[in-house]
Amino acid sequence: MTKERSSFSGKVGFVLAAAGSAVGLGNLWRFPYLAAKYGGGIFLLVYLILAVTFGFALMVTEIAIGRKTGLSAIGAYRKLNKKYAFIGWISALVPIIIFPYYSVIGGWVVKYLFEFVRGQGSAAAGNDYFNQFIAEPVQPVLWLAIFIGLTALIVLLGVEKGVEKASKIMMPTLVILTLGITIYTIVQPGAWEGVLYYITPDFSKFTVNTVLGAMGQMFYSMSLAMGIMITYGSYMKKDVNLETSAKQIELFDTGFAFLAGLMIVPAVFIFSGGDESQLNQGPGLMFSTLPKVFDSMPLGGVIGAAFFLLVLFAALTSAISLMETVVSILQVRFHWNRKLTCLLVLLGAFLIALPSSLGYGALSFIQPLGMSVLDFFDFISNSVLMPIVALMTCLFVSLVVKTQLISDEVKLSSPFKREKLFVVVIRYVAPVFIVLILVSSVMNAMGWITI
Ligand code: TRP
């Protein structure tokens, strides 16, 4: 069965749509807590180096595979070479793992929005507020159910177009508001120390984990190594400049992540009274820090409500696209009808998300590999599966279809300026690098070595 593929209109249409899917909780929630945890400036530096080399090469590859075949991941790999369809299937696992726990964080966002709207923003600024909230037995699950229900409703009713339209206004507003909050934060007394921590690389803090963390974050944030950019590429017209588009998506995604870090990391310094262990909080960092910022500013209650509403939008657009992906994978595989598939995905994802949601309270005794359940799913997708998919993609391109196939696709629309960089990264740098990182990280997680 072949389906007509509509293309994005105009030259900027593709970049906007792909960047819209890439920008989400990855930038606002995940990037800042990783930067804080892995040494600030050194994490930033490693991330930037990876983004302009590895990220760029992989982004170009995925978009080109999509545009060349006109298919999403599973079909695309099969069309290029029947024997390697399994790469598509493995990449399809990633959104299946991410969607449930993404919804847990989405639920936290709805909770904070609710509290700010009903004027309880100041309470949320309390020191232990976040930890008490996620340790409760029922509340986090309730908010998870609301977020995942909302996402499913939008997908079921097929009103994604409306959400996309609204996000054209909401996303720029979010960027502007984030910029405003950042400026407010960094001029506060005590913030400078945090700004320096965030932008000055301290090489003594460099570890293998810094690289692993930065690499996983890059995949996650740019929606790479999970087939998503292949799908976007399949909708791209042949005359749109592929290389420039890849660069623009990266620039936008990285720029916004940088800004989010600048908003949150220095704020940790302002309110922690010099307690650096606050930097190590992990997934809760944004939720425990930002209410304090809002509490300290005039009209903070209103600004906080507006901020969490906009974040909810960014999270919803990503969650919708994640759910859509999962639904279409199952439809392709099992030929179920769409409504039934949506309901099954809703139910399945909710059940899988439950342990992540309760992992900080009722189920905190479950500690796979010494992590919380949410961190565990996050680790499996970002630090294990995505590097594996990225590695297989590199090997597939360099050994099976050859890099020339990608280069030719890029050159359909423009000269390929960074072709040399692309070839060297895909053939040599990336595969060697991923194997090293992957092996050491898994050994570390198992407790066999300490890095
Ligand atoms: N990149 C998105 C973010 O930064 C998260 C994400 C991961 C995503 N995989 C996706 C979004 C697939 C849409 C589709 O939040």
Side-chain angles (χ1 to χ4, degrees):
M1 186 179 66
T2 48
K3 212 172 71 191
E4 267 292 308
R5 269 184 195 248
S6 53
S7 299
F8 292 111
S9 55
K11 292 234 182 305
V12 287
F14 172 77
V15 172
L16 281 182
S21 147
V23 170
L25 292 174
N27 309 64
L28 278 158
W29 156 76
R30 205 169 183 276
F31 184 85
Y33 89 72
L34 289 183
K37 184 168 156 189
Y38 290 124
I42 188 69
F43 180 85
L44 197 61
L45 181 67
V46 172
Y47 187 89
L48 291 177
I49 294 174
L50 286 178
V52 296
T53 54
F54 197 2
F56 167 75
L58 204 57
M59 179 79 78
V60 167
T61 302
E62 293 200 7
I63 298 176
I65 289 180
R67 190 169 78 173
K68 167 131 192 95
T69 58
L71 298 166
S72 5
I74 296 172
Y77 283 103
R78 189 186 303 127
K79 186 164 175 182
L80 291 176
N81 189 317
K82 263 216 174 82
K83 275 194 266 168
Y84 294 90
F86 69 91
I87 305 180
W89 285 108
I90 298 178
S91 59
L93 279 179
V94 177
I96 294 177
I97 295 180
I98 293 183
F99 178 52
Y101 85 81
Y102 200 86
S103 303
V104 173
I105 315 293
W108 297 353
V109 174
V110 188
K111 147 89 181 172
Y112 274 66
L113 170 61
F114 175 76
E115 295 301 342
F116 272 86
V117 167
R118 69 179 184 132
Q120 291 296 309
S122 290
N127 267 339
D128 247 353
Y129 186 86
F130 178 75
N131 290 333
Q132 276 169 10
F133 156 62
I134 53 165
E136 278 186 38
V138 181
Q139 255 217 72
V141 176
L142 203 74
W143 296 111
L144 157 68
I146 292 175
F147 182 84
I148 210 168
L150 198 61
T151 308
L153 196 68
I154 294 168
V155 174
L156 252 176
L157 296 179
V159 290
E160 298 93 328
K161 284 274 164 316
V163 178
E164 263 166 39
K165 249 193 204 138
S167 80
K168 286 211 174 101
I169 305 163
M170 302 291 252
M171 293 298 248
T173 318
L174 175 62
V175 176
I176 293 167
L177 188 61
T178 306
L179 193 63
I181 300 168
T182 309
I183 294 172
Y184 169 85
T185 324
I186 60 176
V187 298
Q188 299 304 307
W192 196 241
E193 198 193 333
V195 174
L196 288 180
Y197 174 79
Y198 182 56
I199 60 173
T200 344
D202 174 353
F203 289 90
S204 71
K205 294 206 168 98
F206 179 88
T207 64
V208 179
N209 272 334
T210 319
V211 187
L212 179 69
M215 188 171 74
Q217 170 62 18
M218 184 185 76
F219 295 148
Y220 186 91
S221 184
M222 294 180 192
S223 309
L224 291 173
M226 53 181 101
I228 296 291
M229 284 300 155
I230 299 185
T231 306
Y232 274 96
S234 72
Y235 293 109
M236 186 192 220
K237 284 191 180 151
K238 295 278 185 194
D239 63 348
V240 174
N241 189 323
L242 200 155
E243 185 177 9
T244 311
S245 303
K247 261 192 275 179
Q248 285 170 348
I249 300 165
E250 283 207 323
L251 194 70
F252 191 75
D253 189 73
T254 308
F256 191 52
F258 173 76
L259 188 62
L262 193 57
M263 166 173 74
I264 292 174
V265 177
V268 179
F269 281 75
I270 304 175
F271 297 105
S272 70
D275 173 9
E276 283 206 16
S277 70
Q278 294 291 325
L279 291 169
N280 256 325
Q281 276 178 50
L285 191 70
M286 165 182 150
F287 297 93
S288 55
T289 308
L290 284 181
K292 294 192 165 91
V293 175
F294 296 133
D295 199 38
S296 77
M297 60 168 59
L299 286 179
V302 181
I303 296 173
F307 179 79
F308 280 108
L309 178 68
L310 295 165
V311 176
L312 175 60
F313 240 82
L316 264 180
T317 50
S318 288
I320 291 167
S321 148
L322 276 164
M323 180 163 174
E324 284 278 7
T325 310
V326 178
V327 168
S328 70
I329 292 166
L330 294 178
Q331 276 193 295
V332 168
R333 179 73 186 79
F334 299 107
H335 309 288
W336 294 332
N337 82 42
R338 191 177 156 83
K339 255 207 183 109
L340 174 74
T341 317
C342 283
L343 288 174
L344 284 176
V345 170
L346 168 65
L347 198 70
F350 178 70
L351 290 177
I352 297 174
L354 273 181
S356 293
S357 176
L358 292 171
Y360 298 93
L363 298 182
S364 61
F365 60 90
I366 305 179
Q367 297 266 330
L369 299 180
M371 308 171 194
S372 70
V373 183
L374 193 147
D375 279 329
F376 175 72
F377 279 117
D378 191 77
F379 173 81
I380 294 295
S381 64
N382 300 342
S383 302
V384 181
L385 271 179
M386 292 188 205
I388 291 176
V389 173
L391 175 65
M392 290 206 244
T393 308
C394 291
L395 295 179
F396 177 71
V397 168
S398 46
L399 302 174
V400 182
V401 294
K402 311 289 184 233
T403 49
Q404 196 59 41
L405 179 117
I406 307 292
S407 295
D408 290 346
E409 183 62 37
V410 174
K411 285 177 195 161
L412 284 182
S413 44
S414 64
F416 192 175
K417 285 195 219 133
R418 309 242 166 106
E419 187 173 4
K420 276 222 176 75
L421 172 81
F422 155 78
V423 172
V424 172
V425 169
I426 294 288
R427 278 210 196 133
Y428 310 107
V429 184
V432 173
F433 181 78
I434 300 174
V435 169
L436 286 178
I437 295 288
L438 199 61
V439 170
S440 51
S441 87
V442 170
M443 287 171 71
N444 183 55
M446 295 300 201
W448 296 336
I449 54 166
T450 311
I451 48 177

